[in-house]
Amino acid sequence: MKYYFRLFLLALAAAALLTAPAWAAEDTLKVGLYYGSSALPSANLQNYQGSGYRLGWFDEESRDFVEVGWLEEEKITMSADGVSRPAYHVELDRVFDSFLDALLAAEQIKDAFPAYIDGEYRVRAGSFASREEAEIAAATYATYTWEDRRGEARPFRGEAVPPSATGVNITVTGASDLLFQFDCSGARALGVQPEGSDTLTWFKGYKWYGGFEYRRSTGGSLNVINVVSVDDYVRGVLPYEMNSAWPLEALKAQAVVARTYALCQSKHYASYRFDVCNTVDCQVYQGANLATANSDRAAAETAGIGVSYQGRWAETVYCSSNGGASENAENVWSEARGYLVGKEDPYEGTISIPGYTYSVHYTFGQLTSLLQSKGYSTGQVSSAYVSQTTPTGNAAAVTFQDKNGKTLTITKEACRLVLGTKSMRFTITGGGGNGGYCVNNAETRLPSLEGVYVLSEDGSASAYSGREACAATSSGVSPLSPASGPASGDGITITGTGNGHGVGMSQYGAKAMAELGFGYEEILRFYYTDIDLERIG
């Protein structure tokens, strides 16, 4: 009686799943959680909100979930077949019409489980360390019979099958008996969709929205991918990229740029088949652990809204703070973007920003070692200075000169990355060969060396000819005095403001604008030029 009652429940579950709403492709993201060198031999899931799981795959084009089975267990583990456990099985020589038929047969056979192999429903049994052990077991299984849905008894006839280089096993977490096996051959990868509405699922100590995809390269571990609606993804980005206690309008601006930025990402797709990663290489996404009512409200009140430019989604990059002026994309990276245009930022200065100013000192020996460790060919460095700035006053090029007179110039974002500065907005002082400093006068912004003067040790000024050893500032302020930096010739001092690449929206600037009463649309239109706000889909 218990067996038939369970069968009745499974049939009801199957009917319910057939009526589940489809996911719209334009509203769904695949987010890489573990992949490549971080791929996992096994991965656990546990229902937090929801009950049980649907099994199948996510269609590559539509992102719709295609169901092939289900599990009622709360805690399950996915693992790569043959990586951490014996992997030969005995396979029944019959193809079943449905998961329910395969499940019905498997429940009547010792250690048997349903499987989906090469697009067909199968029943397999046991896990054996070798083919010989599996073949011996196959002879034993021949003594079993099983009853089909019509009540007819059928013999178990099967053969040994080897471990699959693309197979994924599912067990109850902490147990060894197989519940299901899926073959990831071809374009399909195992999809696991938690059952229920507005589900949350534990994985690696975090609660995640949406479902999961387990993609296995031949013979390798599992790439774990979160398949989630765009708006739920934003709920999982907001509290990690911006303080949830900040003003609502700042959070709403962050929600829109996070949503749009994810829609523009594709660099991981060719290699790993997901849209966006969950680290700072893309933007930080860790599910629902830190979500608050305020951050969820910001996501909800901007649901489906993205930033477009001339009919296409904009790559809405952002930084913590720009130091007083944002920057053109081409002055930091390679390509210009019409919506990523630098401008003076009057808002950051209206609030207190932790660590906004910074200073670091390098001896020339340290500079030499630093450059050489990063692959640059240079002798003992004897001079370093900002040799070019952008129209908004950010560093565009830094030149180093060694004791043999050889010069090396680094440009764009390399200025920040090589020197380890927090931002692109910095000046270099000290350490010039003549003990003086190369500075711009009060009226000139220093897009070139025109208007640059040298302050000698006696305080006199003379026009810079391009031959003096000195350091040029990029701030556009009044000339420095000889006492403003070390003139001992032992190295340089870098002084700057801001944190990040300086392109696009300043997060602290958004906070400042929100505190001044600006709405999120006004914040976005200040930091991104000539944009439109549109609905996705």
Side-chain angles (χ1 to χ4, degrees):
M1 185 68 180
K2 180 178 179 182
Y3 165 74
Y4 288 105
F5 179 68
R6 174 175 170 78
L7 182 61
F8 172 71
L9 291 177
L10 292 174
L12 288 179
L17 293 175
L18 291 175
T19 62
W23 290 19
E26 65 271 17
D27 293 336
T28 306
L29 287 173
K30 290 189 175 185
V31 188
L33 305 182
Y34 290 85
Y35 55 93
S37 61
S38 68
L40 302 174
S42 64
N44 303 339
L45 292 182
Q46 180 178 346
N47 292 133
Y48 179 79
Q49 290 178 191
S51 177
Y53 304 90
R54 291 182 279 162
L55 310 174
W57 69 85
F58 294 93
D59 183 81
E60 282 292 288
E61 296 294 329
S62 68
R63 304 289 171 89
D64 291 341
F65 185 74
V66 181
E67 180 194 318
V68 298
W70 62 87
L71 294 172
E72 297 176 327
E73 285 74 12
E74 175 189 352
K75 301 177 182 179
I76 60 174
T77 296
M78 279 55 61
S79 58
D81 189 37
V83 171
S84 59
R85 59 177 291 156
Y88 281 86
H89 310 287
V90 178
E91 183 176 272
L92 187 66
D93 63 347
R94 179 184 179 90
V95 175
F96 291 86
D97 293 332
S98 68
F99 175 77
L100 189 58
D101 288 333
L103 181 62
L104 175 64
E107 288 188 334
Q108 301 175 66
I109 302 168
K110 181 182 178 182
D111 297 330
F113 53 90
Y116 193 78
I117 310 296
D118 294 329
E120 296 177 334
Y121 292 101
R122 294 279 188 170
V123 169
R124 291 182 169 184
S127 293
F128 306 96
S130 67
R131 179 180 290 277
E132 182 180 10
E133 290 182 25
E135 289 174 345
I136 293 172
T140 302
Y141 279 114
T143 64
Y144 291 113
T145 60
W146 58 279
E147 189 177 289
D148 64 18
R149 292 176 69 178
R150 297 178 181 178
E152 297 180 6
R154 297 182 177 275
F156 188 108
R157 291 190 295 267
E159 62 179 2
V161 292
S164 171
T166 55
V168 181
N169 299 329
I170 302 181
T171 60
V172 174
T173 300
S176 59
D177 292 343
L178 287 173
L179 298 175
F180 184 72
Q181 189 176 79
F182 185 91
D183 183 31
C184 291
S185 60
R188 295 173 182 171
L190 172 63
V192 177
Q193 179 67 33
E195 178 61 71
S197 59
D198 198 24
T199 61
L200 281 172
T201 309
W202 286 111
F203 170 58
K204 289 288 187 181
Y206 294 92
K207 293 177 290 187
W208 305 90
Y209 303 105
F212 299 85
E213 183 175 87
Y214 300 90
R215 186 170 290 278
R216 187 184 181 197
S217 301
T218 302
S221 294
L222 303 177
N223 292 333
V224 183
I225 299 167
N226 184 207
V227 186
V228 62
S229 72
V230 173
D231 288 320
D232 280 342
Y233 166 81
V234 171
R235 292 166 70 187
V237 169
L238 267 182
Y240 290 93
E241 287 288 359
M242 183 175 279
N243 190 321
S244 294
W246 283 12
L248 180 63
E249 294 303 308
L251 287 165
K252 289 163 74 171
Q254 179 68 57
V256 174
V257 300
R259 181 181 296 111
T260 313
Y261 182 79
L263 292 172
C264 291
Q265 295 304 295
S266 61
K267 61 183 178 180
H268 295 288
Y269 194 80
S271 299
Y272 300 110
R273 313 301 287 180
F274 61 76
D275 305 307
V276 61
C277 65
N278 75 322
T279 68
V280 292
D281 187 42
C282 300
Q283 52 189 356
V284 179
Y285 164 71
Q286 294 287 5
N289 286 39
L290 295 185
T292 66
N294 206 36
S295 64
D296 279 352
R297 179 184 173 187
E301 292 187 4
T302 61
I305 298 175
V307 176
S308 68
Y309 176 78
Q310 296 183 353
R312 302 184 65 179
W313 296 121
E315 190 173 3
T316 47
V317 295
Y318 53 91
C319 64
S320 178
S321 58
N322 56 42
S326 60
E327 194 50 73
N328 289 13
E330 70 271 22
N331 291 337
V332 177
W333 302 308
S334 56
E335 297 182 13
R337 295 284 188 272
Y339 50 89
L340 298 177
V341 178
K343 62 179 66 175
E344 296 289 331
D345 186 343
Y347 301 109
E348 286 187 354
T350 65
I351 61 173
S352 175
I353 302 176
Y356 192 58
T357 61
Y358 61 89
S359 180
V360 60
H361 180 76
Y362 285 110
T363 67
F364 287 131
Q366 290 172 329
L367 278 179
T368 303
S369 298
L370 180 65
L371 291 169
Q372 292 175 348
S373 70
K374 295 182 179 294
Y376 293 98
S377 177
T378 182
Q380 178 65 35
V381 174
S382 60
S383 177
Y385 54 94
V386 174
S387 53
Q388 184 180 351
T389 59
T390 68
T392 55
N394 295 313
V398 175
T399 296
F400 305 88
Q401 182 172 329
D402 65 21
K403 289 185 175 181
N404 298 320
K406 179 182 176 181
T407 60
L408 165 69
T409 298
I410 58 176
T411 62
K412 301 187 177 183
E413 193 176 27
C415 298
R416 177 173 71 98
L417 299 179
V418 171
L419 289 172
T421 63
K422 291 173 62 176
S423 70
M424 300 290 291
R425 196 166 185 80
F426 62 84
T427 64
I428 298 178
T429 58
N434 66 351
Y437 305 97
C438 200
V439 302
N440 57 300
N441 64 16
E443 289 76 32
T444 305
R445 271 294 176 191
L446 199 62
S448 66
L449 292 178
E450 182 180 357
V452 176
Y453 293 81
V454 173
L455 295 177
S456 300
E457 292 181 347
D458 61 4
S460 62
S462 59
Y464 175 57
S465 67
R467 294 187 297 273
E468 295 89 342
C470 55
T473 70
S474 59
S475 63
V477 297
S478 299
L480 300 173
S481 69
S484 297
S488 63
D490 67 334
I492 62 170
T493 296
I494 303 173
T495 304
T497 52
N499 190 353
H501 49 65
V503 183
M505 187 182 78
S506 159
Q507 292 172 305
Y508 273 101
K511 177 179 186 286
M513 290 185 71
E515 290 180 353
L516 290 171
F518 290 97
Y520 81 93
E521 292 190 26
E522 295 173 295
I523 295 171
L524 294 173
R525 294 185 190 282
F526 174 75
Y527 284 108
Y528 303 102
T529 302
D530 296 333
I531 59 165
D532 294 306
L533 299 180
E534 298 184 15
R535 290 205 168 270
I536 298 168

